[in-house]
Amino acid sequence: MEQRIILSDGLELRLKRSSRARRMTLRVPRDGSDPLLTLPVHVPLHEGRAFAESRHGWLQQALGRVPARQTVIQGARFPVGGAHLLITAADIKQVQVQDDLLLVPQNRPAGVVVSAWMRQIALARLRPACDRFSADLGRPYRAIALRDTKSRWGSCTHDGRLMFSWRLAMAPLPVLTYVAAHEVAHLAHMDHSSRFWAQVQDLMPDHAPHRAWLKAHGGDLMQWQFRN
């Protein structure tokens, strides 16, 4: 069962003990879930609580910046490739885009069918981008996997497996492409050193504004809920 603590103002935090943590950290997730307090295993709980209390002002400001949650339902404006499409029920069997409409099969839960469709879109856009960057780098990847991750947009394992959040299909295509370049660059450098960023620059010279877009607006994508 997940551990939790309640601060003096009634705010509830999730508590995580980590053998790898070297210091106490406090994080407000982009997906709108409760703040997370991470403590090294040797730190007493009362010290962790005091640490969180001492950062009360920052915590309130960070919570205030978290976008409001939105639900994928008929009538909502949902982002696909950076464009906000109006979810509309129609007499169809598969999700379709028609002008500024996102048509979904009537009498089926919009969130379920849209999330499945978004996974298809994400893979269809990520695979060719990764293939191109991998060829430019001269290092093959082993596989691509999609997840609905809460804390990262992508990752790369030491054996060359790439993982991406399928929510990237909600972002403008150049933003998705930047994340593909970022993870492929890890095939050569498994860190975020200057050599790594030089590699990202070589793969995608115009990546900076797309990285900035994700930092500024990625939280909005995390707020969408696909189940009522």
Side-chain angles (χ1 to χ4, degrees), residues 77 85-86 88 90 92 95-104 117:
R77 285 278 179 181
L85 308 180
L86 181 66
T88 306
I92 55 177
V95 177
Q96 299 176 21
V97 174
Q98 188 177 97
D99 298 324
D100 68 339
L101 303 180
L102 182 61
L103 302 180
V104 300
W117 180 73

Side-chain angles (χ1 to χ4, degrees), residues 38-207:
T38 301
L39 303 179
V41 292
H42 64 276
V43 173
L45 180 58
H46 70 87
E47 289 188 17
R49 183 187 299 276
F51 170 77
E53 294 280 8
S54 71
R55 281 151 179 76
H56 178 269
W58 172 87
L59 188 56
Q60 292 297 328
Q61 291 180 358
L63 288 169
R65 292 193 295 268
V66 175
R69 292 196 176 195
Q70 301 188 72
T71 304
V72 178
I73 57 175
Q74 184 175 343
R77 285 278 179 181
F78 179 74
V80 179
H84 286 76
L85 308 180
L86 181 66
I87 300 177
T88 306
D91 186 15
I92 55 177
K93 294 183 177 180
Q94 297 180 334
V95 177
Q96 299 176 21
V97 174
Q98 188 177 97
D99 298 324
D100 68 339
L101 303 180
L102 182 61
L103 302 180
V104 300
Q106 58 189 9
N107 301 322
R108 292 184 62 190
V112 174
V113 295
V114 170
S115 62
W117 180 73
M118 291 298 285
R119 286 175 170 85
Q120 298 175 14
I121 298 299
L123 186 60
R125 295 176 179 179
L126 283 163
R127 190 180 297 282
C130 291
D131 288 347
R132 182 173 75 253
F133 291 133
S134 177
D136 291 344
L137 185 63
R139 292 175 181 256
Y141 63 90
R142 291 190 62 183
I144 292 179
L146 299 180
R147 302 281 189 273
D148 190 12
T149 52
K150 302 301 182 184
S151 60
R152 60 176 61 186
W153 293 106
S155 63
C156 175
T157 65
H158 285 279
D159 62 352
R161 298 178 186 274
L162 305 178
M163 185 284 296
F164 297 96
S165 168
W166 54 261
R167 289 176 183 255
L168 285 168
M170 300 161 68
L173 181 57
V175 175
L176 174 147
T177 305
Y178 154 67
V179 179
H182 183 115
E183 299 309 331
V184 168
H186 279 310
L187 295 171
H189 306 287
M190 291 296 293
D191 54 29
H192 287 99
S193 63
S194 58
R195 292 189 304 164
F196 165 79
W197 287 110
Q199 187 65 74
V200 175
Q201 179 70 20
D202 286 343
L203 292 175
M204 190 176 182
D206 63 342
H207 74 276

